[in-house]
Amino acid sequence: ITEYSVNNHFMYWQKPLRKDKKKLRGEGWTPPTKKIRMGYLDWLKHANATVADPSIKDGDVDLFGPDHSHWYFRLIGCGDYHSCTDKPSDFLFDELPFFRPRNKENIYIVDGKEQRGMHCRFGMKGVIAENHFDASRNSIAILVGERRYILAHPRECENLALYPMDHPSRRHSAIDWSNPDLKTYPQFGRAQVNEIVLQAGDVMYLPTQWFHYIVSLELNFQCNIRSGRSEEYDYFIDKCGFSETLHE
């Protein structure tokens, strides 16, 4: 799977219901990305266009700026979770056996029976994954390059202006974190966050419902696996209007 964006921003979305399409068109909504057919080697050619040019004296020069097209390559391994995609890349579990669900304890997987496949994302330099929360635990491993994560506790939900449950990009922030409009979203100025840069070899555990905004600092590969959910932050998500996600 390769996702394409006209700029460096990527936001998950679901195909809207027919009854919602007219309303969304009236609001000026269009799909933020699209899926295209592109193999890894073709993606890599595009990705290398954002790598620093060593022949330039003054340092990094990107051929693609933030307002140019970007591509996000993805592989999914289903393992025992057979319904995660129609064309699984199950060899990922052979390459990364520490993410293979087992009945015995695993430092990366809390509940192996609740895993929903391994997702590997290959990011071009400058790619931004917009702020959102997931309804399950997550272990994230960086295999190549660096990624900047900005994290927010679920109690910050009301400050982050999330799209509502009936929106195609539900659970995602309507705010452009790279250039926030505080006149439209003044509550964002009150949000408190943590920041971490993950490098190759790092693994981060992300609890259920924690917000994360991701910036690819250079060409990078990341794989993550989910393993069930915990309930300690349900209060904040319910209060924020997302009680339906507690049962997904």
Side-chain angles (χ1 to χ4, degrees):
I1 300 172
T2 300
E3 294 177 69
Y4 167 80
S5 174
V6 297
N7 52 41
N8 67 329
H9 290 259
F10 285 77
M11 180 182 290
Y12 172 81
W13 61 280
Q14 291 180 319
K15 186 177 180 180
L17 299 175
R18 181 176 296 178
K19 66 181 181 67
D20 296 327
K21 286 184 177 180
K22 185 176 181 180
K23 175 187 173 185
L24 290 166
R25 282 197 298 269
E27 295 172 351
W29 181 85
T30 57
T33 62
K34 64 180 180 180
K35 294 179 181 178
I36 63 173
R37 291 184 177 274
M38 178 184 287
Y40 171 76
L41 291 179
D42 286 336
W43 170 83
L44 189 61
K45 289 178 183 177
H46 290 294
N48 280 332
T50 66
V51 173
D53 184 346
S55 67
I56 305 297
K57 277 187 177 181
D58 297 330
D60 294 354
V61 172
D62 294 333
L63 301 183
F64 286 4
D67 296 324
H68 289 77
S69 299
H70 283 70
W71 294 262
Y72 211 174
F73 185 75
R74 185 154 52 112
L75 295 174
I76 302 174
C78 295
D80 295 333
Y81 186 66
H82 301 294
S83 60
C84 71
T85 186
D86 57 346
K87 294 182 180 180
S89 301
D90 283 344
F91 66 87
L92 293 171
F93 289 98
D94 296 325
E95 296 290 332
L96 304 173
F98 54 86
F99 272 173
R100 185 185 297 276
R102 298 180 176 88
N103 292 328
K104 63 181 181 179
E105 288 186 12
N106 183 325
I107 190 172
Y108 305 108
I109 300 175
V110 178
D111 186 348
K113 294 180 181 178
E114 293 295 325
Q115 70 93 10
R116 296 189 177 185
M118 187 192 310
H119 293 252
C120 294
R121 293 171 173 83
F122 299 68
M124 298 171 64
K125 181 179 179 181
V127 159
I128 290 173
E130 303 290 6
N131 174 64
H132 66 284
F133 76 88
D134 296 311
S136 56
R137 307 180 184 99
N138 217 338
S139 287
I140 302 161
I142 305 299
L143 306 175
V144 172
E146 294 185 342
R147 285 190 171 203
R148 177 190 183 202
Y149 276 78
I150 299 179
L151 310 174
H153 190 286
R155 66 170 167 259
E156 299 298 328
C157 185
E158 294 179 331
N159 290 326
L160 303 181
L162 303 187
Y163 287 118
M165 285 296 296
D166 61 353
H167 191 278
S169 293
R170 63 180 186 169
R171 300 182 289 106
H172 287 68
S173 178
I175 304 167
D176 178 358
W177 283 33
S178 66
N179 185 27
D181 181 354
L182 296 181
K183 288 185 178 180
T184 304
Y185 306 106
Q187 70 274 33
F188 187 61
R190 299 190 295 270
Q192 295 185 339
V193 300
N194 306 102
E195 179 181 11
I196 185 171
V197 173
L198 295 182
Q199 300 175 319
D202 290 340
V203 179
M204 178 175 68
Y205 171 69
L206 191 67
T208 305
Q209 298 157 347
W210 269 68
F211 293 96
H212 44 296
Y213 171 89
I214 311 163
V215 181
S216 292
L217 299 180
E218 56 188 14
L219 188 148
N220 63 88
F221 305 163
Q222 168 206 292
C223 291
N224 66 284
I225 193 163
R226 300 175 185 172
S227 57
R229 64 182 309 279
S230 56
E231 301 177 352
E232 63 264 41
Y233 304 113
D234 284 1
Y235 168 78
F236 303 105
I237 298 301
D238 188 9
K239 181 182 177 185
C240 199
F242 291 85
S243 58
E244 291 180 44
T245 66
L246 306 182
H247 309 288
E248 290 184 340

